[in-house]
Amino acid sequence: MRVCDPAGARHGIPVYRWRLAPDGLATRRQLRAAGLRPGGQDPVAVLERPRRGGRPPLVAYLYRVDRALPVRPMTPGRWRAVGAAVAARRVCPECGCDRGYCIPASIGVCNECDTAGRWSTAA
């Protein structure tokens, strides 16, 4: 496990322990919650959250909030693309029906096709 290294002498980039990062730095999720994005800047620090059982720590990159840019607004074209992608996930590849819900990726077909397939092979 890495050591808390705020100066970055050991790893070349500052490493902070969980909840010990200075103000003015944020993860991607924190930036997104504030309506911001990294905007092409490189991470300036690393945040590590230790885990139990000898597993490696969880790592998150930190970005400067003052250099972050606002999130790009959704355009009508993007809304259409998202709508088309969601609609495509609702169509079963086996029977071709729009089921009104997203087809589970773990099964690959709608519930009706999955149930019919299981009953026909079990007999």
Side-chain angles (χ1 to χ4, degrees):
M1 181 162 55
R2 291 184 180 174
V3 181
C4 185
D5 182 22
R10 185 170 177 179
H11 300 288
I13 188 169
V15 178
Y16 296 102
R17 297 288 302 226
W18 183 249
R19 299 181 188 249
L20 296 178
D23 292 334
L25 300 181
T27 64
R28 282 183 176 271
R29 283 188 177 204
Q30 291 169 335
L31 288 175
R32 185 65 180 201
L36 300 171
R37 61 186 169 95
Q41 65 174 310
D42 292 327
V44 295
V46 175
L47 181 70
E48 287 191 345
R49 179 177 177 229
R51 296 196 294 178
R52 296 181 182 158
R55 295 184 300 177
L58 295 174
V59 176
Y61 293 106
L62 297 172
Y63 301 90
R64 289 183 51 175
V65 176
D66 59 343
R67 289 187 182 173
L69 301 175
V71 175
R72 294 184 186 124
M74 288 291 283
T75 62
R78 283 186 178 182
W79 281 115
R80 279 192 302 274
V82 169
V86 171
R89 290 182 61 198
R90 294 169 31 156
V91 176
C92 175
E94 191 165 319
C95 65
C97 294
D98 184 347
R99 292 298 179 183
Y101 58 86
C102 287
I103 305 298
S106 60
I107 302 171
V109 294
C110 66
N111 292 335
E112 289 78 8
C113 291
D114 182 49
T115 304
R118 287 187 191 189
W119 286 108
S120 65
T121 58

